[in-house]
Amino acid sequence: MALDKNQIAQRIAKELKDGYYVNLGIGIPTLVANYIPAGIDVVLQSENGLLGMGPFPFEGEEDADLINAGKQTITTVPGSSFFDSAMSFGMIRAGKVDLTVLGAMEVNENGDIANWKIPGKMVKGMGGAMDLVASAKNIIVAMMHTNPKGESKLLPACTLPLTGTRCVKKIVTELAVLDITDKGFKLLERAPGVSVEEIISKTAGKLIVEGDVPEMEF
Amino acid sequence: MNKVYHNAAAAIADISDNAIIMLGGFGLCGIPENCIAALVKKGVKHLTCISNNAGVDGFGIGLMLEQKQVKKMISSYVGENAEFERQLLSGELEVELIPQGTLATRCMAAGYGMPAIFTPAGIGTEVADGKEMRVFNGKEYLMELAFDADFAIVKAWKGDTDGNLVYKETARNFNPLMAMAGKITIAEVEELVPAGELDPDHIHTPGIYVHRIFKGEHYEKRIEQRTVRKKI
């Protein structure tokens, strides 16, 4: 069975390590915060100027001055801090953020990523994505394996305008966990009940399959 | 020295057509609501606006777009506004999209008196087209120029009569950076106090950067995405 969005987030949460400072993008990445393993302390960075992001506020306690990068009302946790946007991207550029999780429209076998523009259709802008992918030490992409037309999003070369080059380290989709290596996508794990053949058929870029590929564990 | 203005209309009275203005805020959080309303009322046109976002339909910079006052937007993300999209696709509005960290740091550079910054954001993408590139320690960086804006319009939580500013929570965002960057900086605040009342240790923007300050009124502080959890 292919994973749902929450299960993709849950699998990514297993990559968190104690003491990590983590930036979670909009969409599936945001859900990772719901699955932080017990005993692991991570600090969530929101690039509009907050370290120590907490859950959504209780009804009636929303504060218009306290939002995340997705413009959602949020709360802070003990030990949090606020700062301006230059410092926020300063800490990202300086490599202080340990892990970045973001969504993508396309990723290619070199680790290039496209997630900000569809020429002629969508021109919303890159927001902080280009800054993040240019500097983050460890980038995990959370996305569906194929687009709504059923076409693979794991490509030999991106067709959409790039957000950054050679930056993605790992991809978690509803079907598989893959690393980006010098030789292409490497299949590490498959979703429970999903066959290697299905993953091969839905991966357009070069895919390395070695030995038995284990099922994901949660 | 008197920096205190009576209201937004007085503070923006000399902003004229074709001005380049910075507007603080992230989404609708920490935007200078009073000055935007005054600019709409004044009806100045052909503005170049530097702001992370372009408001939403019916609020924020969206109000200025509806009156066709904006010639060019320089932003990082503009997705929330149907009128914006319409003007962009019809060619009425010029838009320059730049990475958010680059936007923030180009403001900062202006306030720090530095002509340019180097950033890896945009390397290998269309953002790099036509820009000077330099290699430092084996990594490629783009040279990005400090902004040169006629006016910076910011919103702070508290301010004093000397122009010192304190921001609240994530409403800080671009405000202190733009406050440093304007040839003339206009600050609207929720609470205006006599100089000496704010703790000098707690001031985010020193008054030297602020030329005009006034107490804003009727803050709506609209929430873009109201997300809550239920009490158990």
Side-chain angles (χ1 to χ4, degrees):
Chain A
M1 267 268 293
L3 306 186
D4 64 23
K5 288 179 179 181
N6 281 297
Q7 289 169 312
I8 294 174
Q10 195 176 356
R11 174 58 191 83
I12 290 171
K14 280 183 68 186
E15 304 291 322
L16 300 172
K17 292 193 171 65
D18 194 44
Y20 262 15
Y21 290 92
V22 181
N23 181 291
L24 299 176
I26 295 163
I28 301 174
T30 306
L31 302 172
V32 174
N34 299 335
Y35 298 99
I36 298 168
I40 294 216
D41 233 352
V42 301
V43 179
L44 300 179
Q45 199 247 17
S46 189
E47 67 264 26
N48 55 321
L50 166 62
L51 273 169
M53 179 167 55
F56 295 149
F58 290 120
E59 223 168 328
E61 294 176 8
E62 309 94 286
D63 177 352
D65 291 324
L66 183 50
I67 63 169
N68 63 17
K71 285 109 182 177
Q72 296 171 312
T73 46
I74 46 153
T75 57
T76 56
V77 296
S80 63
S81 56
F82 297 113
F83 35 84
D84 65 54
S85 302
M87 185 179 280
S88 182
F89 285 95
M91 62 185 72
I92 288 164
R93 209 179 291 117
K96 307 294 182 188
V97 175
D98 299 289
L99 175 65
T100 294
V101 184
L102 73 179
M105 299 170 188
E106 296 176 347
V107 177
N108 78 9
E109 58 195 37
N110 296 327
D112 297 353
I113 178 171
N115 71 352
W116 75 282
K117 185 179 185 181
I118 304 173
K121 279 191 187 163
M122 187 203 79
V123 281
K124 288 178 185 249
M126 66 291 281
M130 279 194 187
D131 306 273
L132 281 158
V133 300
S135 297
K137 289 179 287 192
N138 189 5
I139 298 173
I140 300 178
V141 164
M143 66 175 192
M144 304 311 279
H145 216 93
T146 54
N147 66 21
K149 287 189 218 157
E151 299 159 342
S152 181
K153 294 168 71 173
L154 291 84
L155 302 172
C158 293
T159 63
L160 296 169
L162 293 179
T163 309
T165 58
R166 295 180 179 275
C167 52
V168 177
K169 300 282 189 288
K170 192 182 282 288
I171 305 168
V172 180
T173 74
E174 81 281 20
L175 304 179
V177 180
L178 309 103
D179 266 354
I180 307 274
T181 70
D182 295 343
K183 292 169 187 156
F185 301 111
K186 183 172 181 187
L187 182 58
L188 300 181
E189 298 172 21
R190 58 200 168 83
V194 169
S195 68
V196 171
E197 289 69 30
E198 181 179 356
I199 295 164
I200 291 173
S201 74
K202 290 182 175 169
T203 305
K206 193 188 284 181
L207 180 68
I208 302 159
V209 183
E210 285 174 355
D212 282 340
V213 179
E215 287 192 352
M216 292 179 207
E217 286 174 18
F218 294 95
Chain B
M1 176 178 71
N2 179 32
K3 296 185 178 185
V4 179
Y5 281 62
H6 184 59
N7 58 23
I12 62 119
D14 58 346
I15 297 184
S16 51
D17 291 356
N18 298 302
I20 301 172
I21 61 175
M22 292 177 159
L23 293 143
F26 180 93
L28 302 178
C29 181
I31 60 171
E33 293 182 22
N34 281 242
C35 283
I36 290 170
L39 286 167
V40 170
K41 195 166 178 200
K42 184 171 158 68
V44 279
K45 296 222 185 305
H46 310 299
L47 298 172
T48 295
C49 293
I50 303 167
S51 186
N52 189 56
N53 313 90
V56 298
D57 290 312
F59 200 61
I61 294 173
L63 296 168
M64 294 164 66
L65 290 164
E66 279 166 27
Q67 300 302 315
K68 303 202 170 59
Q69 294 177 276
V70 183
K71 176 181 68 179
K72 181 176 181 182
M73 277 303 312
I74 301 175
S75 303
S76 87
Y77 191 84
V78 292
E80 327 286 0
N81 198 327
E83 174 62 14
F84 181 97
E85 199 166 10
R86 190 196 65 72
Q87 291 185 21
L88 176 62
L89 294 173
S90 70
E92 294 165 57
L93 179 68
E94 194 184 335
V95 178
E96 186 180 341
L97 293 169
I98 59 179
Q100 196 174 129
T102 301
L103 180 68
T105 314
R106 288 175 68 187
C107 296
M108 189 195 78
Y112 278 30
M114 301 188 299
I117 56 137
F118 289 92
T119 176
I123 286 283
T125 77
E126 63 185 52
V127 166
D129 292 349
K131 288 178 184 159
E132 186 174 335
M133 199 192 72
R134 290 277 296 271
V135 176
F136 297 99
N137 301 318
K139 184 167 173 161
E140 293 174 334
Y141 293 81
L142 289 182
M143 187 171 81
E144 297 276 9
L145 302 180
F147 282 121
D148 186 11
D150 301 316
F151 293 89
I153 302 174
V154 303
K155 152 81 186 357
W157 178 34
K158 293 179 185 175
D160 71 20
T161 50
D162 279 353
N164 294 301
L165 303 176
V166 177
Y167 309 91
K168 185 161 176 271
E169 302 169 337
T170 55
R172 189 181 318 187
N173 56 63
F174 286 83
N175 282 301
L177 305 161
M178 291 181 172
M180 293 195 298
K183 284 195 196 79
I184 293 175
T185 290
I186 301 165
E188 57 175 88
V189 298
E190 290 178 53
E191 197 180 322
L192 182 61
V193 300
E197 279 199 16
L198 298 174
D199 182 341
D201 267 334
H202 292 170
I203 285 164
H204 296 132
T205 296
I208 191 169
Y209 285 115
V210 178
H211 305 89
R212 304 172 188 174
I213 189 166
F214 68 93
K215 185 185 177 307
E217 296 178 320
H218 310 301
Y219 281 104
E220 180 179 337
K221 292 199 184 184
R222 195 181 291 187
I223 291 173
E224 216 165 319
Q225 306 280 345
R226 186 178 300 274
T227 45
V228 296
R229 64 192 149 131
K230 291 256 184 260
K231 270 185 180 154
I232 302 160

